[in-house]
Amino acid sequence: MQTYLEAAKTKFSKNYRGMNPSKITTTVGLNIGQIDIAGIRMSFWDLGGQQELQSLWDKYYSESHAVIYVVDSNDRVRMNESKEVFDRMISNEYLSGIPLLVLANKQDLPDCMGVREIKPVFQESGHLIGRRDCLVMPVSALTG
């Protein structure tokens, strides 16, 4: 998410000089970013995905208006773990009805899972997603 957030800030924030993508590491803890577009300020809370940090996520849910869940499309081994984390997250009462955007990241890598492989994994959670808006999109945070 940190690479995606840096790319978004670079694209949408005037005079913002983003970090060199090769210097960006996995988020440990919390990374906060803001983007102003057409008079609207969007605040992003990039929450580290390490298991020991996931217990802190729910502290931010009551302030959320949408969720962007970034999936590492190149990590087939951990896809089920990612889906289990996703299920716990969207089951939280504060996120009920909140729009979801699932980003299938790392689409720039040759052997990554495409949206056609990832979407069915997350559609298994349809009963948890409910009637809220939900979209799965292929992205590469590195290449835009």
Side-chain angles (χ1 to χ4, degrees):
M1 177 67 179
Q2 188 167 352
T3 305
Y4 178 79
L5 180 54
E6 279 299 309
K9 289 191 302 188
T10 301
K11 182 173 183 170
F12 294 108
S13 298
K14 189 174 184 175
N15 299 324
Y16 180 78
R17 289 190 171 175
M19 293 172 54
N20 181 333
S22 66
K23 304 274 187 209
I24 298 173
T25 60
T26 302
T27 303
V28 177
L30 172 67
N31 179 26
I32 299 173
Q34 291 183 334
I35 299 173
D36 294 315
I37 301 175
I40 298 170
R41 172 161 286 166
M42 295 187 293
S43 297
F44 293 83
W45 300 323
D46 172 13
L47 306 175
Q50 295 83 5
Q51 190 168 14
E52 57 274 7
L53 297 175
Q54 291 172 18
S55 63
L56 301 175
W57 289 7
D58 62 349
K59 308 290 186 262
Y60 298 90
Y61 293 162
S62 65
E63 301 291 323
S64 298
H65 297 281
V67 171
I68 300 173
Y69 190 80
V70 181
V71 176
D72 183 341
S73 300
N74 199 48
D75 195 346
R76 293 173 189 274
V77 173
R78 294 183 56 214
M79 188 58 62
N80 285 334
E81 177 186 338
S82 180
K83 190 215 175 263
E84 289 172 13
V85 171
F86 175 83
D87 287 352
R88 283 194 305 271
M89 176 196 65
I90 63 169
S91 297
N92 187 287
E93 64 182 302
Y94 288 116
L95 296 180
S96 178
I98 297 289
L100 298 169
L101 175 59
V102 178
L103 297 179
N105 193 26
K106 300 188 181 179
Q107 293 296 305
D108 53 307
L109 299 177
D111 293 327
C112 70
M113 296 173 67
V115 169
R116 287 186 176 174
E117 284 181 89
I118 293 173
K119 193 172 182 178
V121 172
F122 288 88
Q123 280 179 328
E124 292 174 11
S125 301
H127 64 289
L128 299 173
I129 294 169
R131 299 181 61 96
R132 74 180 95 196
D133 290 335
C134 183
L135 178 64
V136 179
M137 273 182 62
V139 298
S140 168
L142 282 179
T143 65

